[in-house]
Structure formats: C-alpha cells, structure tokens
Amino acid sequence: MILNTGGRTDTVQYYSEWLLGRFREGYVLSRNPLFPNTINRIELTPEKIDVVVFCSKDYSPILDRLHEITDRFRCYFHYTITAYGTDIEPRVPSIEKSIETLKRLANEVGPGKIAWRYDPVLLTGKYTIERHMNTFSHMAEELSPYVDRCIFSFVEMYKKLSYNMPELRAVTDEDKLTLAKGMGEIARRSGLVLQTCATKEDYSPFGIQQSGCMTAEIFSEALGIRFKKTPHKGNRAGCLCMESRGLGDYNSCPNGCRYCYANKDHAKAMENYRTHDPSSPLLLGHVRPDDRIIPSKQESIIEMEPSLFD
C-alpha cells in the first residue's frame, strides 16, 4: 500500500507533531469525507505500508525528527516551490527560504528521493510567462543537483477560482506551448528531468516526459524496489499514478493558497487548525459514540525477491 501524507492537507508543515505521533503509535484514523460516521483505521507499520509519500510546501517543522519515520519506512518526498508570493500563497515561506530547506532535506534523505513540484502554473498580470521563465530558471539552477525530477502542471480553471482569483486569466494552448518550450529548454540546460502530471497534452518535443508523479518506475528507481503487476487504477480520471491512500481531512490547511482545491472554506480551515488535538488518532476531532471504525484493506504490492533456498 502507498500512503500519501499530504494529499488533503499539509500535514508536514502544520500537523507534524500529530503525524510523528501516529507513526510512533502505529496506526491512524481517517474519517470518510463522503460518509462522516465511517472511519477507516490504517495500520502504520513497515509490513503494511510499502512507501510513505510526503507532499509539503515547508519541511522545516519536521526536518529534525524526520528520521523517526525514514529510519523505518521507505519514503519519497514531493516539495512544492512555485513562483508565487504571499499575494497567492499567504503562509508559504519565501522562494529562497524554501530552496534552502529543500537542500537540507536532500542532505537528510538523499537527492534521488525528492521531486520538486512547480505547480500549478497560472497566469495573471503580475505572474506573466516572462516572470515564470526567469523564476523557473533561477530555481532550476539552484535545485537540479538536489532533486530527482521536476513536476509541473497548468492550473485547472474550476468554477471556484473565478471568485477566489478574479485576476486569473486563462492559460491558452499557445501559452502552454510557450511555457513548455521555455521550461523544457531551461531543464535541459540544468540537467533536470522535467515532466507533466495528469495532463493530456504531449510536450515530448521539448524534452518533457508525460508521466504520473507517483509511479512504480519512480519509486523503483528511487527506492530500489520492485512492484507486483497489479491493475492500474490511479487516483482520479486521467491519473497515471499508483493508487494511494490519503491521510487527514479537507478544509484543514492554513496556507490559504488561493488556487487550492482541498479547502472550500479558508475560515473553516483556520478554525479546524486551531481546534486540532495532536493526541487524537484523527486529524480533526475525536471518535464519537456513533462512529463506525473499519479496518482498511492493506496489502503489500512489493514483489519479494526469491529466496536462495527456493
């Protein structure tokens, strides 16, 4: 089983004490977002978890204690660093601070285990194609020796964005080609593997791979493991990633990123963060008398090496 610790909220940046506690106790509870009285119990043991995937915009809160997890589990890390400032990502550290933290993370876990996420790519009057090219070039030069690859995608123009970001302008097909060509050239010069994730467009003429961000190939190369041949399900339509299980709850990340899909109500997210109990097996709240706890189906998909005596 692949465990994604950051698909619903930034557990590393804001809930690191809770996350470390759950791994220490060996299990976590996750409330079903569609059926609120149903809780899934996930065993956090090396026998049940094949790979722990982290995804965060700031690893500094957990960096000194990350070994408590990496000493026991196979881990892969996604680090999101974009071109935006606090006008779009209000509580995300600056680009330079984020770069330094990523370098520290690489020194701790090894560069082959970190993917730099430069997404979503969006355009406004301030964040132009030219600005993206300049920022991406600077970041690629700084980060290429420390990361396994860079993953990018273009912003999805879902309805909520028209209210949250009225200054946002549509990224046209021509814009995408210009950005992809420029980013591909920058990546080539920097010796950086560049890929898209969950996009239908093919930018391979610019040296850009079309893949998923959590594939068997990526994990196998980074972690030295082989996976069984299993049906590909992905995590959503068009997804090329391996199926994974997420932790935490929506409406719980205080970062306040204006393009966020996981927070429908920022005020509610802040309230949830303030009332969070690090000692609870649930990220938000506690188990109620009418809750039903169901053990999650957890099966290893790692292919075991044949024994010398077989």
Side-chain angles (χ1 to χ4, degrees):
M1 172 183 154
I2 309 298
L3 181 73
N4 185 350
T5 69
R8 297 177 182 177
T9 190
D10 197 330
T11 56
V12 167
Q13 184 174 356
Y14 291 103
Y15 302 97
S16 57
E17 191 66 37
W18 175 82
L19 188 63
L20 290 163
R22 298 327 313 153
F23 275 95
R24 186 169 57 252
E25 293 195 31
Y27 79 98
V28 65
L29 300 183
S30 180
R31 194 176 293 280
N32 190 311
L34 299 178
F35 304 97
N37 291 113
T38 300
I39 294 175
N40 293 107
R41 177 181 169 117
I42 302 172
E43 304 300 325
L44 301 181
T45 64
E47 295 75 26
K48 295 290 187 179
I49 304 294
D50 294 325
V51 180
V52 179
V53 181
F54 295 87
C55 188
S56 178
K57 294 180 178 178
D58 184 8
Y59 280 83
S60 60
I62 203 173
L63 207 51
D64 291 339
R65 296 180 59 191
L66 190 58
H67 66 91
E68 296 178 22
I69 300 175
T70 58
D71 285 350
R72 300 175 56 222
F73 294 84
R74 303 176 191 90
C75 299
Y76 192 83
F77 303 85
H78 288 200
Y79 202 136
T80 301
I81 310 177
T82 67
Y84 315 121
T86 54
D87 55 328
I88 292 182
E89 299 175 339
R91 293 175 180 82
V92 175
S94 68
I95 290 174
E96 296 308 320
K97 184 176 179 182
S98 296
I99 288 174
E100 290 308 309
T101 302
L102 186 146
K103 291 178 180 180
R104 289 177 57 207
L105 176 65
N107 290 333
E108 180 73 25
V109 305
K113 299 177 183 177
I114 304 173
W116 162 35
R117 301 193 68 103
Y118 186 85
D119 62 352
V121 177
L122 56 81
L123 295 175
T124 70
K126 179 178 179 179
Y127 297 100
T128 61
I129 291 177
E130 181 181 12
R131 179 158 180 169
H132 274 292
M133 292 299 97
N134 292 335
T135 306
F136 185 75
S137 179
H138 166 65
M139 294 165 74
E141 183 178 352
E142 289 284 335
L143 295 177
S144 57
Y146 299 91
V147 299
D148 175 39
R149 66 193 59 237
C150 177
I151 301 165
F152 80 97
S153 62
F154 296 109
V155 67
E156 292 186 26
M157 302 295 289
Y158 50 91
K159 188 175 181 180
K160 190 179 74 167
L161 275 184
S162 62
Y163 302 104
N164 288 355
M165 295 190 66
E167 73 274 30
L168 191 68
R169 74 172 181 82
V171 184
T172 66
D173 290 341
E174 183 179 355
D175 292 332
K176 291 179 179 180
L177 285 172
T178 302
L179 285 158
K181 182 179 180 180
M183 292 172 70
E185 174 60 24
I186 291 167
R188 187 192 63 79
R189 292 200 308 264
S190 302
L192 180 69
V193 174
L194 183 62
Q195 69 165 80
T196 56
C197 184
T199 58
K200 62 181 183 296
E201 296 89 355
D202 179 11
Y203 300 119
S204 58
F206 309 126
I208 299 172
Q209 299 178 7
Q210 187 176 29
S211 181
C213 57
M214 295 190 295
T215 66
E217 292 75 18
I218 290 174
F219 293 150
S220 295
E221 183 178 341
L223 305 174
I225 53 179
R226 290 191 300 174
F227 292 94
K228 300 173 184 176
K229 292 182 179 179
T230 56
H232 177 79
K233 295 182 179 180
N235 294 299
R236 63 184 184 279
C239 180
L240 299 176
C241 296
M242 300 181 75
E243 185 179 12
S244 63
R245 190 71 54 82
L247 295 185
D249 297 88
Y250 297 111
N251 284 324
S252 60
C253 183
N255 270 331
C257 300
R258 294 170 62 201
Y259 53 75
C260 181
Y261 67 89
N263 277 355
K264 293 184 178 179
D265 185 337
H266 179 61
K268 183 64 176 177
M270 292 301 296
E271 178 187 344
N272 285 334
Y273 174 63
R274 286 192 294 267
T275 58
H276 162 71
D277 179 2
S279 66
S280 173
L282 288 162
L283 181 72
L284 300 180
H286 298 83
V287 177
R288 301 185 294 253
D290 58 342
D291 285 333
R292 184 171 60 127
I293 299 178
I294 301 175
S296 293
K297 184 179 179 181
Q298 295 179 247
E299 296 181 358
S300 176
I301 53 174
I302 289 181
E303 185 176 283
M304 301 300 294
E305 295 291 347
S307 169
L308 293 174
F309 302 101
D310 289 346

Short mmCIF file of all heavy atoms in Angstrom, two decimals, residues 232-280:
data_model
loop_
_atom_site.label_atom_id
_atom_site.label_comp_id
_atom_site.label_asym_id
_atom_site.label_seq_id
_atom_site.Cartn_x
_atom_site.Cartn_y
_atom_site.Cartn_z
N HIS A 232 -3.88 -1.05 -12.99
CA HIS A 232 -3.67 0.38 -12.75
C HIS A 232 -5.02 1.07 -12.53
O HIS A 232 -5.90 1.00 -13.36
CB HIS A 232 -2.95 1.03 -13.93
CG HIS A 232 -2.79 2.51 -13.77
ND1 HIS A 232 -1.81 3.06 -12.98
CD2 HIS A 232 -3.51 3.55 -14.27
CE1 HIS A 232 -1.91 4.38 -13.01
NE2 HIS A 232 -2.94 4.70 -13.78
N LYS A 233 -5.14 1.72 -11.37
CA LYS A 233 -6.39 2.41 -11.04
C LYS A 233 -6.22 3.92 -11.00
O LYS A 233 -7.15 4.66 -11.27
CB LYS A 233 -6.92 1.91 -9.69
CG LYS A 233 -7.31 0.44 -9.68
CD LYS A 233 -7.86 0.05 -8.33
CE LYS A 233 -8.28 -1.42 -8.30
NZ LYS A 233 -8.82 -1.83 -6.97
N GLY A 234 -5.01 4.39 -10.62
CA GLY A 234 -4.83 5.82 -10.47
C GLY A 234 -5.63 6.34 -9.29
O GLY A 234 -6.28 5.60 -8.55
N ASN A 235 -5.60 7.66 -9.11
CA ASN A 235 -6.33 8.28 -8.01
C ASN A 235 -7.49 9.15 -8.49
O ASN A 235 -8.28 9.63 -7.70
CB ASN A 235 -5.36 9.11 -7.17
CG ASN A 235 -4.33 8.23 -6.47
OD1 ASN A 235 -4.68 7.36 -5.68
ND2 ASN A 235 -3.06 8.44 -6.78
N ARG A 236 -7.54 9.38 -9.81
CA ARG A 236 -8.65 10.12 -10.42
C ARG A 236 -8.57 9.90 -11.93
O ARG A 236 -7.63 9.30 -12.42
CB ARG A 236 -8.58 11.62 -10.08
CG ARG A 236 -7.34 12.33 -10.61
CD ARG A 236 -7.30 13.77 -10.15
NE ARG A 236 -6.18 14.50 -10.72
CZ ARG A 236 -4.95 14.47 -10.27
NH1 ARG A 236 -4.67 13.72 -9.22
NH2 ARG A 236 -3.99 15.17 -10.85
N ALA A 237 -9.55 10.41 -12.65
CA ALA A 237 -9.59 10.22 -14.10
C ALA A 237 -8.34 10.82 -14.75
O ALA A 237 -7.97 11.96 -14.46
CB ALA A 237 -10.85 10.87 -14.68
N GLY A 238 -7.70 10.04 -15.62
CA GLY A 238 -6.52 10.53 -16.32
C GLY A 238 -5.23 10.44 -15.52
O GLY A 238 -4.18 10.83 -16.01
N CYS A 239 -5.32 9.93 -14.30
CA CYS A 239 -4.15 9.86 -13.43
C CYS A 239 -3.32 8.64 -13.77
O CYS A 239 -3.84 7.54 -13.91
CB CYS A 239 -4.59 9.82 -11.96
SG CYS A 239 -3.21 9.73 -10.79
N LEU A 240 -2.01 8.83 -13.91
CA LEU A 240 -1.10 7.74 -14.23
C LEU A 240 -0.36 7.23 -13.00
O LEU A 240 0.53 6.39 -13.12
CB LEU A 240 -0.09 8.21 -15.28
CG LEU A 240 -0.67 8.66 -16.62
CD1 LEU A 240 0.43 9.18 -17.53
CD2 LEU A 240 -1.42 7.53 -17.30
N CYS A 241 -0.73 7.73 -11.83
CA CYS A 241 -0.04 7.36 -10.60
C CYS A 241 -0.56 6.03 -10.05
O CYS A 241 -1.65 5.58 -10.39
CB CYS A 241 -0.25 8.44 -9.54
SG CYS A 241 0.46 10.03 -9.97
N MET A 242 0.24 5.46 -9.16
CA MET A 242 -0.21 4.27 -8.44
C MET A 242 -1.31 4.69 -7.46
O MET A 242 -1.32 5.83 -6.97
CB MET A 242 0.96 3.67 -7.66
CG MET A 242 2.13 3.24 -8.50
SD MET A 242 3.46 2.52 -7.53
CE MET A 242 2.75 0.91 -7.14
N GLU A 243 -2.21 3.77 -7.19
CA GLU A 243 -3.27 4.05 -6.24
C GLU A 243 -2.66 4.24 -4.85
O GLU A 243 -1.75 3.52 -4.46
CB GLU A 243 -4.27 2.91 -6.20
CG GLU A 243 -5.48 3.17 -5.33
CD GLU A 243 -6.46 2.01 -5.36
OE1 GLU A 243 -6.10 0.93 -5.85
OE2 GLU A 243 -7.59 2.19 -4.87
N SER A 244 -3.14 5.23 -4.13
CA SER A 244 -2.61 5.51 -2.80
C SER A 244 -3.74 5.82 -1.84
O SER A 244 -4.86 6.12 -2.25
CB SER A 244 -1.62 6.68 -2.83
OG SER A 244 -2.27 7.87 -3.23
N ARG A 245 -3.44 5.77 -0.56
CA ARG A 245 -4.40 6.11 0.49
C ARG A 245 -3.95 7.40 1.16
O ARG A 245 -2.77 7.56 1.49
CB ARG A 245 -4.45 4.99 1.52
CG ARG A 245 -5.57 5.11 2.55
CD ARG A 245 -6.93 4.85 1.94
NE ARG A 245 -7.00 3.56 1.26
CZ ARG A 245 -7.21 2.41 1.88
NH1 ARG A 245 -7.39 2.37 3.20
NH2 ARG A 245 -7.26 1.29 1.20
N GLY A 246 -4.88 8.33 1.37
CA GLY A 246 -4.53 9.62 1.94
C GLY A 246 -4.87 9.73 3.41
O GLY A 246 -5.74 9.01 3.92
N LEU A 247 -4.19 10.65 4.08
CA LEU A 247 -4.46 10.94 5.49
C LEU A 247 -5.12 12.30 5.64
O LEU A 247 -5.06 13.13 4.73
CB LEU A 247 -3.14 10.96 6.28
CG LEU A 247 -2.35 9.66 6.41
CD1 LEU A 247 -1.17 9.90 7.34
CD2 LEU A 247 -3.22 8.54 6.94
N GLY A 248 -5.70 12.52 6.80
CA GLY A 248 -6.16 13.85 7.13
C GLY A 248 -7.52 14.19 6.58
O GLY A 248 -8.29 13.34 6.14
N ASP A 249 -7.81 15.50 6.59
CA ASP A 249 -9.13 15.99 6.20
C ASP A 249 -8.99 17.20 5.30
O ASP A 249 -8.02 17.95 5.38
CB ASP A 249 -9.92 16.40 7.45
CG ASP A 249 -10.21 15.24 8.38
OD1 ASP A 249 -9.37 14.95 9.25
OD2 ASP A 249 -11.27 14.61 8.23
N TYR A 250 -10.00 17.40 4.46
CA TYR A 250 -10.09 18.63 3.70
C TYR A 250 -10.46 19.77 4.65
O TYR A 250 -10.85 19.56 5.79
CB TYR A 250 -11.13 18.49 2.59
CG TYR A 250 -10.78 17.43 1.57
CD1 TYR A 250 -11.52 16.25 1.48
CD2 TYR A 250 -9.71 17.60 0.70
CE1 TYR A 250 -11.20 15.28 0.55
CE2 TYR A 250 -9.38 16.63 -0.24
CZ TYR A 250 -10.12 15.47 -0.30
OH TYR A 250 -9.80 14.50 -1.22
N ASN A 251 -10.33 20.99 4.16
CA ASN A 251 -10.62 22.19 4.96
C ASN A 251 -9.82 22.20 6.27
O ASN A 251 -10.35 22.45 7.35
CB ASN A 251 -12.12 22.27 5.29
CG ASN A 251 -12.94 22.73 4.11
OD1 ASN A 251 -12.50 23.57 3.32
ND2 ASN A 251 -14.13 22.17 3.96
N SER A 252 -8.52 21.92 6.16
CA SER A 252 -7.70 21.91 7.36
C SER A 252 -6.32 22.54 7.16
O SER A 252 -5.54 22.60 8.09
CB SER A 252 -7.52 20.47 7.87
OG SER A 252 -6.88 19.67 6.89
N CYS A 253 -6.03 23.00 5.95
CA CYS A 253 -4.71 23.57 5.68
C CYS A 253 -4.74 25.10 5.82
O CYS A 253 -5.48 25.78 5.11
CB CYS A 253 -4.23 23.20 4.28
SG CYS A 253 -2.56 23.81 3.93
N PRO A 254 -3.93 25.66 6.72
CA PRO A 254 -3.93 27.11 6.93
C PRO A 254 -3.15 27.92 5.90
O PRO A 254 -3.11 29.15 6.00
CB PRO A 254 -3.28 27.26 8.32
CG PRO A 254 -3.29 25.91 8.93
CD PRO A 254 -3.20 24.96 7.77
N ASN A 255 -2.50 27.29 4.95
CA ASN A 255 -1.67 28.04 3.99
C ASN A 255 -2.46 29.11 3.25
O ASN A 255 -1.92 30.15 2.89
CB ASN A 255 -1.02 27.09 2.99
CG ASN A 255 0.34 26.60 3.46
OD1 ASN A 255 1.03 27.29 4.20
ND2 ASN A 255 0.72 25.41 3.05
N GLY A 256 -3.72 28.84 2.97
CA GLY A 256 -4.56 29.84 2.32
C GLY A 256 -4.26 30.07 0.85
O GLY A 256 -4.60 31.14 0.32
N CYS A 257 -3.66 29.10 0.18
CA CYS A 257 -3.35 29.26 -1.25
C CYS A 257 -4.65 29.47 -2.02
O CYS A 257 -5.59 28.69 -1.90
CB CYS A 257 -2.62 28.04 -1.77
SG CYS A 257 -1.04 27.74 -0.93
N ARG A 258 -4.69 30.51 -2.80
CA ARG A 258 -5.96 30.92 -3.40
C ARG A 258 -6.42 29.99 -4.52
O ARG A 258 -7.59 30.02 -4.91
CB ARG A 258 -5.83 32.36 -3.91
CG ARG A 258 -5.63 33.36 -2.77
CD ARG A 258 -5.26 34.74 -3.28
NE ARG A 258 -6.32 35.30 -4.10
CZ ARG A 258 -6.12 36.29 -4.99
NH1 ARG A 258 -4.90 36.76 -5.16
NH2 ARG A 258 -7.13 36.75 -5.68
N TYR A 259 -5.53 29.16 -5.03
CA TYR A 259 -5.90 28.20 -6.07
C TYR A 259 -6.26 26.83 -5.50
O TYR A 259 -6.56 25.90 -6.24
CB TYR A 259 -4.75 28.04 -7.07
CG TYR A 259 -3.44 27.69 -6.42
CD1 TYR A 259 -3.18 26.42 -5.92
CD2 TYR A 259 -2.45 28.67 -6.28
CE1 TYR A 259 -1.98 26.13 -5.30
CE2 TYR A 259 -1.24 28.37 -5.67
CZ TYR A 259 -1.01 27.10 -5.18
OH TYR A 259 0.18 26.80 -4.55
N CYS A 260 -6.25 26.68 -4.18
CA CYS A 260 -6.37 25.37 -3.54
C CYS A 260 -7.72 24.71 -3.84
O CYS A 260 -8.77 25.35 -3.80
CB CYS A 260 -6.20 25.52 -2.03
SG CYS A 260 -6.31 23.96 -1.12
N TYR A 261 -7.67 23.39 -4.09
CA TYR A 261 -8.89 22.61 -4.33
C TYR A 261 -9.37 21.92 -3.06
O TYR A 261 -10.51 21.49 -2.97
CB TYR A 261 -8.65 21.56 -5.42
CG TYR A 261 -7.69 20.48 -5.00
CD1 TYR A 261 -8.12 19.33 -4.36
CD2 TYR A 261 -6.33 20.62 -5.22
CE1 TYR A 261 -7.23 18.35 -3.94
CE2 TYR A 261 -5.43 19.65 -4.81
CZ TYR A 261 -5.89 18.52 -4.17
OH TYR A 261 -5.00 17.57 -3.76
N ALA A 262 -8.47 21.76 -2.07
CA ALA A 262 -8.78 20.97 -0.87
C ALA A 262 -9.49 21.80 0.20
O ALA A 262 -10.13 21.23 1.08
CB ALA A 262 -7.51 20.36 -0.28
N ASN A 263 -9.35 23.11 0.15
CA ASN A 263 -10.04 23.99 1.09
C ASN A 263 -11.19 24.69 0.39
O ASN A 263 -10.97 25.50 -0.52
CB ASN A 263 -9.09 25.06 1.65
CG ASN A 263 -8.25 24.56 2.81
OD1 ASN A 263 -8.42 23.45 3.27
ND2 ASN A 263 -7.35 25.40 3.27
N LYS A 264 -12.40 24.40 0.81
CA LYS A 264 -13.56 25.12 0.26
C LYS A 264 -13.84 26.38 1.07
O LYS A 264 -14.47 27.31 0.59
CB LYS A 264 -14.79 24.21 0.27
CG LYS A 264 -14.70 23.04 -0.69
CD LYS A 264 -15.97 22.23 -0.70
CE LYS A 264 -15.90 21.09 -1.70
NZ LYS A 264 -17.14 20.27 -1.72
N ASP A 265 -13.38 26.38 2.33
CA ASP A 265 -13.67 27.49 3.23
C ASP A 265 -12.42 27.75 4.07
O ASP A 265 -12.10 26.98 4.98
CB ASP A 265 -14.86 27.13 4.12
CG ASP A 265 -15.31 28.28 5.01
OD1 ASP A 265 -14.50 29.17 5.29
OD2 ASP A 265 -16.47 28.26 5.44
N HIS A 266 -11.72 28.86 3.77
CA HIS A 266 -10.47 29.14 4.47
C HIS A 266 -10.72 29.43 5.95
O HIS A 266 -9.93 29.01 6.82
CB HIS A 266 -9.75 30.33 3.84
CG HIS A 266 -8.47 30.68 4.53
ND1 HIS A 266 -7.40 29.80 4.63
CD2 HIS A 266 -8.09 31.81 5.18
CE1 HIS A 266 -6.42 30.37 5.30
NE2 HIS A 266 -6.82 31.59 5.64
N ALA A 267 -11.80 30.12 6.27
CA ALA A 267 -12.12 30.41 7.68
C ALA A 267 -12.34 29.11 8.45
O ALA A 267 -11.89 28.96 9.59
CB ALA A 267 -13.34 31.32 7.77
N LYS A 268 -13.02 28.16 7.80
CA LYS A 268 -13.24 26.86 8.44
C LYS A 268 -11.93 26.11 8.61
O LYS A 268 -11.70 25.45 9.64
CB LYS A 268 -14.20 26.03 7.59
CG LYS A 268 -14.57 24.67 8.18
CD LYS A 268 -15.32 24.81 9.49
CE LYS A 268 -15.75 23.47 10.02
NZ LYS A 268 -16.44 23.57 11.34
N ALA A 269 -11.05 26.23 7.65
CA ALA A 269 -9.75 25.57 7.75
C ALA A 269 -8.95 26.12 8.93
O ALA A 269 -8.31 25.36 9.67
CB ALA A 269 -8.96 25.76 6.45
N MET A 270 -8.99 27.42 9.13
CA MET A 270 -8.28 28.03 10.25
C MET A 270 -8.89 27.61 11.59
O MET A 270 -8.18 27.34 12.56
CB MET A 270 -8.30 29.55 10.13
CG MET A 270 -7.47 30.08 8.96
SD MET A 270 -5.72 29.61 9.06
CE MET A 270 -5.23 30.48 10.57
N GLU A 271 -10.22 27.53 11.62
CA GLU A 271 -10.89 27.08 12.84
C GLU A 271 -10.52 25.63 13.15
O GLU A 271 -10.24 25.28 14.31
CB GLU A 271 -12.40 27.21 12.68
CG GLU A 271 -13.21 26.73 13.88
CD GLU A 271 -14.70 26.72 13.63
OE1 GLU A 271 -15.14 27.36 12.65
OE2 GLU A 271 -15.42 26.06 14.40
N ASN A 272 -10.50 24.79 12.13
CA ASN A 272 -10.13 23.39 12.32
C ASN A 272 -8.69 23.27 12.82
O ASN A 272 -8.39 22.42 13.67
CB ASN A 272 -10.29 22.61 11.01
CG ASN A 272 -11.74 22.33 10.68
OD1 ASN A 272 -12.59 22.26 11.56
ND2 ASN A 272 -12.03 22.16 9.39
N TYR A 273 -7.82 24.08 12.28
CA TYR A 273 -6.41 24.05 12.70
C TYR A 273 -6.28 24.45 14.17
O TYR A 273 -5.53 23.83 14.94
CB TYR A 273 -5.59 24.99 11.81
CG TYR A 273 -4.16 25.14 12.25
CD1 TYR A 273 -3.28 24.06 12.25
CD2 TYR A 273 -3.67 26.39 12.65
CE1 TYR A 273 -1.97 24.19 12.64
CE2 TYR A 273 -2.36 26.53 13.05
CZ TYR A 273 -1.51 25.44 13.04
OH TYR A 273 -0.20 25.58 13.45
N ARG A 274 -7.01 25.47 14.59
CA ARG A 274 -6.92 25.96 15.98
C ARG A 274 -7.45 24.93 16.97
O ARG A 274 -6.99 24.86 18.12
CB ARG A 274 -7.67 27.28 16.13
CG ARG A 274 -6.95 28.49 15.52
CD ARG A 274 -7.60 29.79 15.94
NE ARG A 274 -8.96 29.90 15.41
CZ ARG A 274 -9.23 30.51 14.26
NH1 ARG A 274 -8.26 31.03 13.51
NH2 ARG A 274 -10.48 30.59 13.83
N THR A 275 -8.43 24.14 16.57
CA THR A 275 -9.03 23.16 17.50
C THR A 275 -8.42 21.77 17.37
O THR A 275 -8.88 20.84 18.03
CB THR A 275 -10.55 23.08 17.25
OG1 THR A 275 -10.79 22.69 15.89
CG2 THR A 275 -11.22 24.42 17.52
N HIS A 276 -7.42 21.63 16.53
CA HIS A 276 -6.74 20.34 16.33
C HIS A 276 -6.12 19.83 17.62
O HIS A 276 -5.49 20.58 18.36
CB HIS A 276 -5.67 20.51 15.25
CG HIS A 276 -4.64 19.42 15.23
ND1 HIS A 276 -4.92 18.14 14.80
CD2 HIS A 276 -3.33 19.44 15.59
CE1 HIS A 276 -3.81 17.41 14.88
NE2 HIS A 276 -2.83 18.16 15.36
N ASP A 277 -6.31 18.55 17.90
CA ASP A 277 -5.72 17.90 19.08
C ASP A 277 -4.63 16.93 18.60
O ASP A 277 -4.94 15.89 18.02
CB ASP A 277 -6.80 17.14 19.85
CG ASP A 277 -6.25 16.42 21.07
OD1 ASP A 277 -5.03 16.53 21.35
OD2 ASP A 277 -7.03 15.73 21.76
N PRO A 278 -3.35 17.25 18.83
CA PRO A 278 -2.26 16.39 18.34
C PRO A 278 -2.29 14.97 18.91
O PRO A 278 -1.69 14.07 18.33
CB PRO A 278 -1.00 17.12 18.81
CG PRO A 278 -1.43 18.52 19.06
CD PRO A 278 -2.85 18.44 19.52
N SER A 279 -3.00 14.77 20.02
CA SER A 279 -3.04 13.44 20.64
C SER A 279 -4.16 12.55 20.09
O SER A 279 -4.22 11.36 20.38
CB SER A 279 -3.20 13.56 22.16
OG SER A 279 -4.46 14.12 22.49
N SER A 280 -5.06 13.12 19.29
CA SER A 280 -6.17 12.35 18.74
C SER A 280 -5.69 11.50 17.57
O SER A 280 -4.86 11.95 16.77
CB SER A 280 -7.28 13.28 18.26
OG SER A 280 -8.29 12.56 17.57
#
